[in-house]
Every structure is written in C-alpha cells, then in structure tokens.
Amino acid sequence: MALLRYPVIETRRLHLRELTLDDTEAVFIHFSDPLVVEFMDIEVCRSREEAAEIILFHMQDSGCRYGMFLKGTGELVGTCGFHCWNRSKDKSKAEIGFDVGSAHWRKGYMLESVQPIIQLGFTQMELDYIEATTELDNIPSQQLLKKLGFSQSAELVDQLVYFTLNRTENPM
C-alpha cells in the first residue's frame, strides 16, 4: 500500500482515505458508470489500466483524492478531493472535485464527505480559497456548493459555472 500523505477522515457513515492502486478494481467499477462521469472531463472507464491511471494521476498531482468508503462494507461510493493546487505566496488555492455513484445519489454522502475535505483544505493545506466548476446542467453539484457556502460567479466561462469559497468566509 502506498504511503498516505493526508490523514484518514472518519464521518458518521464513511471512512475517507486517499486512493491507492489497491483501489483499482473499485475505481474501475465506479468510473464505469456513465452517470458518474456525465459531468466530468473524463470518459467512462473501460479497463482496469485506465482506473489505475486515474489513481496514479491523483497520487502524482499536488492535491489529494479521497475515496469515500461505506463503514461496515468498505464499498467505494464516490471520490472527492483537491487538484490544481497553487501554493502562491499571495494566495494559496486549489480546485475541489467530487463524484458519487448513481446508486448512492440523494443520500447525503457528498455533503458528509466534502465538509471535512474543505476543512482539511483550509487547515492542513493552508488554502486561502477553494474553487469549483460545474457544467451548466449539473444542478445537484451547484446546489451542494451553495449549501457549503460557495459563492457563484455571475459569469459563465466556456459554459462552466464557477464557484469560490474563501477561508475568511468559510461557514463551517
């Protein structure tokens, strides 16, 4: 198992930890669902090698990608974390991303997972602000970001809706 750079996080129903190559099968199954990747910038996962590439990308990226595992069963229900971490002296920022398996929609897992991930971003990663983008039609993600206290930009860029959350405005 790979050395983890970030702490394991426990929530009421979930065990959150960085994805490793040991999770290749679960990641393959998760990203093979067309509904999961519908609003993402990746295609449906077609092989275990592609799943391993997804994991390796995040392991080598400057941010982190957590798997969201159900307590008790250990089933992967989604992923969340940061990418595009810019550690500028002026403003440290990263983009948050998240996804959940279609069988687990509308169960509150994203809110339960993303709240402690945001806290990790502001405390351990010392981010000044967090960015997020969604496609115009991805209303559930937009609703989640608003519930988490993100501010929506009035302007679309490349048909994407932009959101930000500043450390000083963090409601949690």
Side-chain angles (χ1 to χ4, degrees):
M1 182 168 226
L3 178 65
L4 301 180
R5 302 174 295 167
Y6 294 91
V8 170
I9 299 171
E10 298 288 333
T11 69
R12 186 172 63 83
R13 300 176 293 168
L14 301 168
H15 175 81
L16 308 175
R17 66 166 172 75
E18 286 181 85
L19 292 171
T20 70
L21 289 175
D22 293 339
D23 301 311
T24 299
E25 181 67 22
V27 168
F28 170 67
I29 293 167
H30 179 69
F31 287 116
S32 294
D33 181 348
L35 295 173
V36 170
V37 301
E38 178 181 5
F39 294 113
M40 298 177 73
D41 60 355
I42 64 172
E43 298 293 320
V44 169
C45 199
R46 302 204 186 283
S47 70
R48 283 153 188 79
E49 291 77 21
E50 286 180 6
E53 287 174 14
I54 291 169
I55 295 167
L56 284 170
F57 171 82
H58 288 292
M59 289 173 74
Q60 295 165 357
D61 187 43
S62 60
C64 57
R65 194 66 170 198
Y66 276 78
M68 302 158 35
F69 300 90
L70 285 178
K71 287 183 176 177
T73 67
E75 177 187 359
L76 178 72
V77 298
T79 74
C80 60
F82 295 105
H83 53 275
C84 302
W85 186 5
N86 179 339
R87 301 181 198 195
S88 162
K89 288 181 182 179
D90 297 332
K91 290 281 184 184
S92 176
K93 66 177 182 173
E95 185 171 343
I96 196 165
F98 45 82
D99 50 81
V100 68
S102 59
H104 303 286
W105 287 355
R106 305 280 186 247
K107 295 182 180 177
Y109 292 131
M110 288 314 318
L111 184 63
E112 185 174 334
S113 299
V114 175
Q115 285 176 325
I117 295 298
I118 289 171
Q119 291 301 6
L120 176 130
F122 286 136
T123 57
Q124 184 166 339
M125 295 171 67
E126 299 180 338
L127 298 174
D128 292 304
Y129 64 99
I130 298 169
E131 298 176 324
T133 60
T134 70
E135 290 193 20
L136 193 55
D137 294 335
N138 192 347
I139 303 304
S141 288
Q142 293 171 31
Q143 291 171 334
L144 174 67
L145 290 165
K146 289 175 185 175
K147 185 180 266 189
L148 290 164
F150 281 74
S151 299
Q152 180 179 338
S153 171
E155 192 174 319
L156 292 180
V157 179
D158 297 327
Q159 293 301 305
L160 294 174
V161 183
Y162 280 75
F163 292 85
T164 57
L165 180 65
N166 292 307
R167 180 196 315 226
T168 57
E169 298 170 352
N170 182 14
M172 292 176 260

